[in-house]
Amino acid sequence: MSEKKSGNPRCVCERGRTSTAMSNPFAHIVEALDPNNPDHKFYNLAKLEDPRYDRLPFSIRVLLESAVRNCDGFLVKQSDVESILNWKQTQTQSVEVPFRPARVILQDFTGVPAVVDFAAMRDAVKKLGGDPENINPVCPVDLVIDHSIQVDFNRKSDSLQKNQDLEFDRNRERFEFLKWGSKALRNMRIIPPGSGIVHQVNLEYLARVVFDQDGYYYPDSLVGTDSHTTMINGLGVLGWGVGGIEAEAVMLGQPISMVLPEVIGYRLQGTPNKLITSTDIVLTVTKHLRQVGVVGKFVEFFGPGVEALSIADRATIANMCPEYGATAAFFPVDHISVQYLKQTGRDAEKLDYITRYLKAVAMFRDYNNSCQDPDFTQVHKLDLSTVVQCCSGPKRPQDRVAVSDMKTDFEACLAAKQGFKGFQVTPERHHVKVPFQYNDKEYSLSHGSVVIAAITSCTNTSNPSVMLGAGLLAKKAIEAGLSMKPYIKTSLSPGSGVVTYYLKKSGVMDYLFQLGFEVVGYGCMTCIGNSGPLPEPVVEAITQGDLVAAGILSGNRNFEGRVHPNTRANYLASPPLVIAYAIAGTVRIDFDTEPIALNNEGKEVFLRDIWPTREEIQAVEREFVIPAMFKEVYEKIEKVNERWNALNAPSDKLYTWDPKSTYIKSPPFFDGLTKELQTPNSITNAYVLLNFGDSVTTDHISPAGNIARTSPAARYLTSRGLNPRDFNSYGSRRGNDAVMARGTFANIRLFNKFLNKQAPRTLHLPSDETMDVFDAAERYQKAGLPLMILAGKEYGSGSSRDWAAKGPFLLGIKAVLAESYERIHRSNLVGMGVIPLEYLSGETADSLGLTGHERYTVVIPEPLTPRMIVDIKLDTGKTFQVRMRFDTDVELTYFHNGGILNYMIRKMSEN
């Protein structure tokens, strides 16, 4: 079966120019994959007859194929192909190359603002005299609605239905808008709510592995507006997360301009211990690669140990790629990949051409054949037999803790000063207990008490081995007479309907339900902060005792304030360990020496007594995870949601904005846009709005989670006539810039040096008043005063939230000065026209004596060049130099246009 037609994937259009195979300088290497079927061709890279090709990492071969196929001498040049072939010599020289992914994937939190921007861009193109229908996806786009559902109900037999009903009631406007987008915009498919998590749906259903489109075979590749898009690399599909702004440009036919990356080879060997899960492996890999330093690089896995990992195991490792900082974590396609495609219901014809094509272009991997090992920038190794059971936390995913050390590590964190591994609790309060009543029974909480236990997110729920492992652990726990404290908020949000299917068929779902792990929805839920409310008595006890309560989740992010405001310690763990810590009721336990709990007869039960082995799990997996269930679930995925089907949405090509809407609003990004470019001016006498240290994440910057009742966003919504129960979450209101600007830097764990404490507030320097960040920014803007941010290392790490750049732009921030940036966030800043500045090597705010109370003039010279050094002058008379982090000529073009979207509007408005 060929892919649905969606425009010519081989063509790159710019001002009416079209490149086809006939004008491609590499047309001579086109041939039929099957001589008996000449209508299905491919670019045979072997015919380049270049010995460098066989030494390229497999991930770089994907970049090369895209450049060869799309070479038009305009956006993609022959010199770009040469640069990629010459990767070994040029990888460390910041060589810029274009990359045109085969498709784009969105989730609804990031997808709604993308569709909002498309609607607003159509209006702007029309105002400039162009054809608004030029604003249209050129390549296939899939949008999966998975971020809207919250855990409002749990431990009830109808929790799933109640949560889904609430999701629709809260998000009807957003859903109607998205449905408009699916009608008005070509090449956009929307997967309705209730279908699963975007990355698991991508893995099980959307992934092509090899495209068969318009008569050509070529590798599947993608970018997505979620940082964990990298999960698809586990199936041998090259993809990574980009900002929503950058994704929109790709949707409009622009190649990504990227610096040719270094590729770190990661050799796996050995076999995991029988008690080890994929989560233990990935948390070990995450810590190791974070220590190695792979930010902005590709990681490519090889070695005989890869064959010990299922595709779900590989996908779990690839999913966590943002947590160790790499751009992509690639597992080339092998025979196990093909077996997975068969297991998930792909047809035999597809499996045949996938295998034959990848072998023909030397992209099919045999991990036991070291002769296939390519050149790498560096090589690092892991012996899987050395991996131990572990978690990560209490505040960052890279902070791995062996399960055997959890108790002592947590107690050390209690005593340590405030930081990534510290809560600064005074010694006399380490063993405080706070009694409370719940359902007419008395309980008590102390530091380390588990109050949230969630099996959630695609990191683990893509993996039958850990999901069935959790089910078998639940079965053994029930049979041993164990139960769970009823006040713990437990939840199970599978990655897709397939998970529910095999949990039920294997007979373990009833045991999960008995323990309290009922299916509450199909979406990210707790992992993105949609954990819903905790019982009021629990919140009161935590507040009364100022307790460091714990959340335990099988997710991929545990930054401060993300999971729930009342869980200061949050640990990532495998689904079986989530259940184990929930049964124990605390993270202050040594499972090796202490019983997990007393059973209903008062007998001690240890975790080792109920922990399932890999052999037990694999036996159940072989029997119950079968192709038929994947086919049954996905054949009806786009039609099964009746409430989605019943939604009425307009089909007009221009969206009719409703001025009363508090969800969907035309953004001000294009107000006053002219066809003519404006010369960028120096930033003169800017004030510092916020002064940060290291590791400020997009969770700190971008609005996420619940809307606090005393926040500027709450005041705005109240002024629009809404009650607090109708506020919904920031994520659900990403289509309204007025809400999002007010929620920028509204995280309660924001640590601003001006205040020297955690609070979503700052100092308005001219008046010396402390106020909410938005209120201070608004006052500066009304006075016509430009703003900057000072920051330390890894500014913008975390999720690839475009509002982490859009929000600061709307607050009037013209530049950020940091020691280093997370890759996607820096790109997003560029896309919004905010200047990313970086201290020169060895320099910091402290070494330069900067307090943030100075006023800053950033001198912008002409002409600008990539990564150039510029001067900053302070009102104190001091001058120093910084690097302007526009890394490529394309990024400079975007900056001169005031951002990437402005550039696209001007280009699409040309007659």
Short mmCIF file of all heavy atoms in Angstrom, two decimals, residues 148-154 156 159 162-163 166-167 170 489 520 525 530-533:
data_model
loop_
_atom_site.label_atom_id
_atom_site.label_comp_id
_atom_site.label_asym_id
_atom_site.label_seq_id
_atom_site.Cartn_x
_atom_site.Cartn_y
_atom_site.Cartn_z
N SER A 148 -4.58 16.60 27.22
CA SER A 148 -5.68 17.37 27.81
C SER A 148 -6.31 16.72 29.04
O SER A 148 -6.92 17.40 29.85
CB SER A 148 -6.78 17.59 26.76
OG SER A 148 -6.27 18.19 25.61
N ILE A 149 -6.18 15.41 29.15
CA ILE A 149 -6.91 14.69 30.19
C ILE A 149 -6.17 14.74 31.53
O ILE A 149 -4.95 14.69 31.58
CB ILE A 149 -7.17 13.23 29.74
CG1 ILE A 149 -8.16 12.54 30.66
CG2 ILE A 149 -5.86 12.45 29.60
CD1 ILE A 149 -8.71 11.23 30.10
N GLN A 150 -6.94 14.90 32.63
CA GLN A 150 -6.39 14.97 33.97
C GLN A 150 -6.90 13.81 34.82
O GLN A 150 -7.94 13.22 34.53
CB GLN A 150 -6.79 16.29 34.65
CG GLN A 150 -6.22 17.52 34.00
CD GLN A 150 -6.59 18.78 34.75
OE1 GLN A 150 -6.38 19.88 34.26
NE2 GLN A 150 -7.16 18.66 35.94
N VAL A 151 -6.17 13.55 35.92
CA VAL A 151 -6.60 12.50 36.87
C VAL A 151 -7.52 13.16 37.91
O VAL A 151 -7.13 13.40 39.04
CB VAL A 151 -5.41 11.82 37.56
CG1 VAL A 151 -5.89 10.61 38.34
CG2 VAL A 151 -4.35 11.41 36.55
N ASP A 152 -8.73 13.48 37.49
CA ASP A 152 -9.71 14.03 38.44
C ASP A 152 -10.34 12.92 39.27
O ASP A 152 -10.66 13.11 40.44
CB ASP A 152 -10.79 14.80 37.69
CG ASP A 152 -10.25 16.07 37.07
OD1 ASP A 152 -10.03 17.04 37.82
OD2 ASP A 152 -10.03 16.11 35.85
N PHE A 153 -10.53 11.76 38.63
CA PHE A 153 -11.13 10.62 39.32
C PHE A 153 -10.18 9.43 39.26
O PHE A 153 -9.56 9.18 38.23
CB PHE A 153 -12.48 10.25 38.68
CG PHE A 153 -13.51 11.33 38.76
CD1 PHE A 153 -13.69 12.23 37.72
CD2 PHE A 153 -14.30 11.46 39.90
CE1 PHE A 153 -14.63 13.24 37.80
CE2 PHE A 153 -15.25 12.46 39.99
CZ PHE A 153 -15.42 13.36 38.94
N ASN A 154 -10.07 8.73 40.35
CA ASN A 154 -9.29 7.48 40.39
C ASN A 154 -9.91 6.56 41.43
O ASN A 154 -10.76 6.98 42.22
CB ASN A 154 -7.81 7.75 40.71
CG ASN A 154 -7.60 8.24 42.13
OD1 ASN A 154 -8.37 9.06 42.63
ND2 ASN A 154 -6.56 7.76 42.80
N LYS A 156 -12.11 4.37 41.01
CA LYS A 156 -13.53 4.12 40.76
C LYS A 156 -13.64 3.33 39.47
O LYS A 156 -12.85 3.50 38.54
CB LYS A 156 -14.30 5.44 40.63
CG LYS A 156 -14.30 6.30 41.88
CD LYS A 156 -15.05 7.61 41.62
CE LYS A 156 -14.99 8.55 42.82
NZ LYS A 156 -15.73 8.02 43.97
N SER A 159 -13.82 5.65 36.48
CA SER A 159 -12.88 6.78 36.45
C SER A 159 -12.54 7.20 35.04
O SER A 159 -12.48 8.40 34.73
CB SER A 159 -11.59 6.42 37.21
OG SER A 159 -11.83 6.24 38.57
N LYS A 162 -15.43 9.15 33.44
CA LYS A 162 -15.62 10.45 34.09
C LYS A 162 -14.51 11.42 33.70
O LYS A 162 -14.76 12.60 33.42
CB LYS A 162 -15.65 10.27 35.62
CG LYS A 162 -16.97 9.71 36.14
CD LYS A 162 -16.97 9.72 37.67
CE LYS A 162 -18.34 9.35 38.20
NZ LYS A 162 -18.39 9.38 39.68
N ASN A 163 -13.26 10.94 33.67
CA ASN A 163 -12.15 11.81 33.29
C ASN A 163 -12.26 12.23 31.83
O ASN A 163 -11.98 13.38 31.47
CB ASN A 163 -10.81 11.09 33.52
CG ASN A 163 -10.47 10.99 35.00
OD1 ASN A 163 -10.83 11.85 35.80
ND2 ASN A 163 -9.77 9.92 35.38
N LEU A 166 -14.99 14.87 31.50
CA LEU A 166 -14.49 16.17 31.96
C LEU A 166 -13.54 16.78 30.94
O LEU A 166 -13.54 18.00 30.72
CB LEU A 166 -13.77 16.01 33.31
CG LEU A 166 -14.57 16.35 34.56
CD1 LEU A 166 -13.72 16.12 35.80
CD2 LEU A 166 -15.06 17.79 34.54
N GLU A 167 -12.71 15.92 30.34
CA GLU A 167 -11.78 16.41 29.32
C GLU A 167 -12.55 17.10 28.20
O GLU A 167 -12.17 18.20 27.75
CB GLU A 167 -10.97 15.24 28.76
CG GLU A 167 -10.03 15.62 27.62
CD GLU A 167 -9.39 14.42 26.95
OE1 GLU A 167 -9.93 13.31 27.04
OE2 GLU A 167 -8.34 14.60 26.30
N ARG A 170 -14.18 20.48 29.38
CA ARG A 170 -13.21 21.56 29.55
C ARG A 170 -12.63 22.03 28.23
O ARG A 170 -12.25 23.20 28.10
CB ARG A 170 -12.05 21.07 30.43
CG ARG A 170 -12.38 20.89 31.89
CD ARG A 170 -11.18 20.25 32.59
NE ARG A 170 -11.38 20.16 34.02
CZ ARG A 170 -10.91 19.17 34.77
NH1 ARG A 170 -10.25 18.18 34.20
NH2 ARG A 170 -11.11 19.16 36.07
N LYS A 489 -2.87 8.77 45.88
CA LYS A 489 -3.52 8.96 44.59
C LYS A 489 -2.84 8.08 43.55
O LYS A 489 -1.77 8.38 43.04
CB LYS A 489 -3.47 10.43 44.15
CG LYS A 489 -4.30 10.67 42.90
CD LYS A 489 -4.77 12.08 42.77
CE LYS A 489 -5.86 12.17 41.70
NZ LYS A 489 -6.35 13.55 41.55
N VAL A 520 -7.33 5.39 34.18
CA VAL A 520 -7.99 6.69 34.38
C VAL A 520 -8.02 7.52 33.11
O VAL A 520 -8.65 8.58 33.08
CB VAL A 520 -7.30 7.50 35.51
CG1 VAL A 520 -7.45 6.79 36.85
CG2 VAL A 520 -5.82 7.73 35.18
N MET A 525 -1.04 12.78 31.35
CA MET A 525 -1.63 12.94 32.69
C MET A 525 -0.60 13.36 33.74
O MET A 525 -0.04 14.44 33.67
CB MET A 525 -2.42 11.68 33.05
CG MET A 525 -3.51 11.40 31.99
SD MET A 525 -4.65 10.06 32.35
CE MET A 525 -5.89 10.90 33.29
N ASN A 530 -0.75 16.93 34.98
CA ASN A 530 -2.21 16.77 35.02
C ASN A 530 -2.59 15.69 36.03
O ASN A 530 -3.34 14.77 35.73
CB ASN A 530 -2.74 16.40 33.62
CG ASN A 530 -2.74 17.58 32.68
OD1 ASN A 530 -2.40 18.69 33.06
ND2 ASN A 530 -3.13 17.34 31.44
N SER A 531 -2.04 15.83 37.24
CA SER A 531 -2.25 14.82 38.27
C SER A 531 -3.55 15.02 39.01
O SER A 531 -3.98 14.15 39.77
CB SER A 531 -1.08 14.82 39.26
OG SER A 531 -0.81 16.13 39.70
N GLY A 532 -4.22 16.17 38.81
CA GLY A 532 -5.47 16.45 39.50
C GLY A 532 -5.24 16.72 40.98
O GLY A 532 -4.11 16.69 41.48
N PRO A 533 -6.31 16.98 41.72
CA PRO A 533 -6.16 17.36 43.13
C PRO A 533 -5.87 16.17 44.03
O PRO A 533 -6.29 15.04 43.76
CB PRO A 533 -7.53 17.96 43.46
CG PRO A 533 -8.49 17.26 42.53
CD PRO A 533 -7.72 17.03 41.26
#
